[in-house]
Amino acid sequence: MLYRVEGIVIRSMDYGESNKIVTLLTKTNGKAGVLVRGAKKVKSRHSSLAQPFTYGEYQYFRSQGLGTLNHGEIIESHHDLRMQLDLSAYASYAAEMTDRIIQDDEPTGFHFEQLKAFLSAMDAGKDPQIVTHLYEMRILTLAGYAPEMEECISCGNRVGPFRLSAQGGGILCGRCGNRDPSASMLSEGAYKLLRLFNKLDMRRLGSIAVKPETKLELKHVMRQLMDIQLGLQLKSRNFLDQLDKLV
């Protein structure tokens, strides 16, 4: 059967001497594995279609299992994201996270739009850490683990200050904070941003200026949420952590 889809390359691996196998996050057909023949050859007309983060239109044949690319057109290459080490690290993390969280036959229209918006925001020069935290929150939401940020998960109190209980999946007020000794105290700035991230569509992200100390706080609590709620072991995050230590 011939498929024609909009897709984003979320994984690319060598296959044989001259081919690549890509995993596409498609707008209409879930995840799709596609063989791109000759993609490793310098002069191949399909080599750029097999590059990570490429957004394009892909036409491939598939009866069962792996598809085979017939034709493709690039819509956005996201070349700069591959050329700059820090941006490549953040984009690789988002791509691997997406690949791990989405099942092969799962409807992916909204997932696709969120990843597309993530890559566009990175290309536009927006703060990569903040963009990534927002995308992490979208992944948590899409996986069914969005934290409760409006009221205390123990008593329903809506008056802060609050702590974030990653284990409990939401905020605890001052009266209930002792229910989770590992809960992290939230500054007002971090709390407001987390509430915003919890509701904000990636496509509506504007410019957000965040203090360095607030960014450190956000990184800490988002790591707790991702680790406890999803428990993904990602090679790309390990590399991102190593990169952070060099900055």
Side-chain angles (χ1 to χ4, degrees):
M1 184 174 178
L2 182 64
Y3 293 84
R4 188 172 183 174
V5 301
E6 284 185 35
I8 298 170
V9 177
I10 57 175
R11 180 156 40 108
S12 180
M13 59 181 290
D14 294 344
Y15 182 73
E17 292 185 1
S18 60
N19 310 318
K20 284 183 177 287
I21 294 175
V22 299
T23 300
L24 300 174
L25 179 69
T26 76
K27 189 173 184 177
T28 53
N29 292 67
K31 286 197 306 185
V34 178
L35 173 66
V36 184
R37 297 190 184 279
K40 291 171 64 178
K41 295 180 179 179
V42 177
K43 295 183 180 180
S44 170
R45 61 192 177 94
H46 289 156
S47 61
S48 55
L49 287 162
Q51 294 295 319
F53 327 133
T54 296
Y55 163 41
E57 186 175 80
Y58 293 80
Q59 185 174 293
Y60 59 92
F61 290 101
R62 178 174 178 258
S63 55
Q64 59 181 4
L66 203 63
T68 302
L69 186 70
N70 178 53
H71 180 70
E73 296 288 342
I74 293 176
I75 299 173
E76 291 286 347
S77 70
H78 295 300
H79 175 77
D80 288 347
L81 300 188
R82 294 190 294 273
M83 294 299 101
Q84 298 184 48
L85 185 60
D86 59 337
L87 297 184
S88 179
Y90 280 107
S92 295
Y93 172 57
E96 186 181 6
M97 184 166 42
T98 304
D99 189 21
R100 291 283 298 278
I101 208 70
I102 295 176
Q103 303 302 311
D104 287 348
D105 298 322
E106 186 176 352
T108 52
F110 188 68
H111 300 66
F112 174 87
E113 293 295 343
Q114 296 304 292
L115 181 59
K116 177 184 168 187
F118 167 87
L119 295 172
S120 294
M122 296 284 281
D123 247 347
K126 295 180 181 179
D127 189 315
Q129 182 185 333
I130 298 304
V131 173
T132 299
H133 288 329
L134 175 55
Y135 190 71
E136 286 175 326
M137 195 67 88
R138 296 280 59 74
I139 288 290
L140 285 167
T141 300
L142 293 167
Y145 295 104
E148 171 56 63
M149 298 302 300
E150 298 299 323
E151 61 183 35
C152 175
I153 55 175
S154 180
C155 71
N157 179 28
R158 288 175 172 257
V159 180
F162 295 107
R163 294 178 181 271
L164 179 69
S165 170
Q167 190 70 48
I171 53 174
L172 290 168
C173 68
R175 294 195 302 265
C176 303
N178 59 359
R179 292 181 179 271
D180 181 3
S182 67
S184 299
M185 191 69 195
L186 293 175
S187 67
E188 184 178 358
Y191 173 60
K192 287 181 177 179
L193 282 170
L194 288 170
R195 282 186 66 201
L196 176 65
F197 292 169
N198 208 24
K199 298 181 286 188
L200 186 63
D201 189 311
M202 287 292 310
R203 293 169 289 188
R204 297 178 56 201
L205 176 64
S207 296
I208 300 177
V210 182
K211 296 177 181 178
E213 58 270 26
T214 306
K215 289 173 69 172
L216 284 173
E217 188 179 352
L218 288 172
K219 180 179 179 179
H220 174 68
V221 296
M222 286 306 300
R223 284 293 169 86
Q224 286 187 318
L225 280 170
M226 296 297 290
D227 288 346
I228 291 176
Q229 296 298 331
L230 297 181
L232 298 176
Q233 299 295 319
L234 303 177
K235 292 180 180 179
S236 55
R237 200 181 87 171
N238 292 335
F239 179 71
L240 197 56
D241 287 344
Q242 292 173 10
L243 195 63
D244 283 347
K245 293 176 182 179
L246 299 176
V247 177

